[in-house]
Amino acid sequence: MKLIGVGVGPGDIELFTLKAINAIEEAAYIFIPESRGKSIAYDIARPLLEDKYNIIFLDIPMGCGRDLYKTYAERIFRTSEGKTSVFLTLGDPSIYSTFIYIADEIKNLGGDVSTIPGIPSFIAAAALIGEPLLRKGDKMIVCDSIDEIDLKGLDAVVVLKTLDKEKILNLLEEEGFKYFYIKRCTQKDEMVLTDRDDILKDNDYLSMIIAKRS
Amino acid sequence: MKLIGVGVGPGDIELFTLKAINAIEEAAYIFIPESRGKSIAYDIARPLLEDKYNIIFLDIPMGCGRDLYKTYAERIFRTSEGKTSVFLTLGDPSIYSTFIYIADEIKNLGGDVSTIPGIPSFIAAAALIGEPLLRKGDKMIVCDSIDEIDLKGLDAVVVLKTLDKEKILNLLEEEGFKYFYIKRCTQKDEMVLTDRDDILKDNDYLSMIIAKRS
């Protein structure tokens, strides 16, 4: 069997690629991760899924262990019966996605995996705030924690799934960066905050900080 | 007037987003950068442009100065006559694009600018080589020169428009990274090289190195 990790982009249905749409159309099964009955990947792709009877939801808790990924991979492998299926993933499958860990286990079972790129959330966020990320000669770091990063040589900093925001903002301010907090980019409750106190008050898993040298 | 920087992705027409296709359809004028009579953005978008009579090519040399960007911005501003036009850009408009500099000058003239994200070449390259870029806890740098970067805390390194490849490969080897050289990703002459000597022999502006801790 083959499992294709399909990036559905950050939220706006118009940010789907043609390749992702075609892969969903042709898939034997459409596996969609959910957590406590909610699935953002499903919400995003919904207009493409309304006539589909081959959707299988997988309740994958965030940050679960390898054993659980293995269990889900076995279920995907068994269900697909040698056919090609897709696994929907928010943003792009190569950036902090659950698909990465599912793919490891599918390969261990002897299955094939591939991915179809999606618009990463930070790329859509750059468009939203109207700030280019990299000019000629610039350097950008993308991370999920700012620990042990030397900001000195960097021109842009992207922190995804922002925890410990106070520490992050302190470091960015010390180094003279301006910053934007972007929440649920291109989704219906999208929001951009730039005020330190407003940012510290907010808590949302689907958020990021983009910082630029001012 | 308004100028929308439209990311056409790395090469594969299927990696266009619906939003980019719609913006091209609705544009008053379609501005396309070319260099010495060649335009990769045009080659990529060609299937969408065949019935279009509103295409204007701009011969923008790579790395040209601000004066020339200003001249082109003035031409775009004048030609658009208050309407909304698009400017096609390879990959994504926020990553090392000519559009960034054109947008600066359009804003100086009092025009509006916005962007529509495209699949960045390094995101498509990750799919091609089958390597996830960021697992939980990982850090990635994206740059066009590896000078003054401390590779120690990094898990992934993306060097776009690779010059001085020997120096880059030396540094990556010293730090225990495995690397891939990807050329014209998803275009018809796409190529992946992993052998040091093969990489050093090749020369292509549309190439990148992706390195991962092995």
Side-chain angles (χ1 to χ4, degrees), chain B residues 156-183:
Chain B
V157 179
V158 175
V159 192
L160 298 171
K161 307 185 179 179
T162 45
L163 297 167
D164 206 354
K165 294 197 296 277
E166 186 157 15
K167 190 173 163 189
I168 296 170
L169 298 190
N170 287 346
L171 280 168
L172 292 170
E173 285 174 14
E174 273 169 33
E175 285 293 328
F177 281 83
K178 64 176 174 180
Y179 49 72
F180 304 83
Y181 173 84
I182 306 109
K183 181 173 147 175

Side-chain angles (χ1 to χ4, degrees), chain A residues 35-135:
Chain A
S35 187
R36 298 184 207 160
K38 286 188 182 172
S39 170
I40 295 157
Y42 177 74
D43 290 342
I44 294 173
R46 192 189 297 246
L48 303 170
L49 300 174
E50 282 176 353
D51 61 343
K52 297 288 184 292
Y53 296 92
N54 55 345
I55 296 173
I56 297 173
F57 287 98
L58 303 173
D59 191 357
I60 307 182
M62 278 188 289
C64 71
R66 195 180 152 194
D67 281 354
L68 204 48
Y69 289 128
K70 199 176 160 197
T71 303
Y72 282 115
E74 282 164 355
R75 193 195 299 178
I76 291 169
F77 193 90
R78 218 170 35 237
T79 308
S80 294
E81 294 175 323
K83 303 194 185 88
T84 296
S85 295
V86 296
F87 183 100
L88 303 193
T89 177
L90 194 63
D92 175 72
S94 74
I95 309 271
Y96 297 130
S97 80
T98 299
F99 179 75
I100 295 171
Y101 304 97
I102 295 284
D104 288 344
E105 302 303 329
I106 292 283
K107 281 191 263 186
N108 286 342
L109 293 167
D112 291 328
V113 297
S114 71
T115 57
I116 293 176
I119 300 287
S121 58
F122 65 94
I123 293 291
L128 176 65
I129 62 178
E131 284 280 339
L133 293 172
L134 289 162
R135 290 172 184 260

Side-chain angles (χ1 to χ4, degrees), chain B residues 14-132:
Chain B
E14 286 215 351
L15 291 180
F16 255 84
T17 65
L18 301 174
K19 194 163 187 166
I21 294 170
N22 293 340
I24 291 171
E25 276 307 314
E26 291 164 11
Y29 293 94
I30 301 164
F31 295 98
I32 305 181
E34 62 174 3
S35 187
R36 298 182 205 163
K38 286 187 182 173
S39 170
I40 295 158
Y42 177 73
D43 290 343
I44 292 172
R46 193 188 297 246
L48 302 170
L49 300 174
E50 282 176 353
D51 60 343
K52 297 287 183 294
Y53 296 92
N54 55 344
I55 296 174
I56 297 173
F57 287 98
L58 302 173
D59 191 357
I60 307 182
M62 277 187 289
C64 70
R66 196 183 150 191
D67 282 354
L68 204 48
Y69 288 128
K70 200 177 160 195
T71 304
Y72 281 116
E74 282 164 356
R75 194 195 296 177
I76 291 169
F77 193 91
R78 219 169 36 237
T79 308
S80 294
E81 294 173 322
K83 301 193 185 92
T84 296
S85 294
V86 295
F87 183 100
L88 303 192
T89 178
L90 194 63
D92 175 71
S94 75
I95 309 273
Y96 298 131
S97 80
T98 299
F99 178 76
I100 295 171
Y101 303 97
I102 295 285
D104 288 344
E105 302 303 330
I106 292 282
K107 281 190 263 186
N108 286 342
L109 293 167
D112 290 329
V113 296
S114 70
T115 57
I116 293 175
I119 300 287
S121 57
F122 66 93
I123 293 291
L128 176 65
I129 63 178
E131 283 280 341

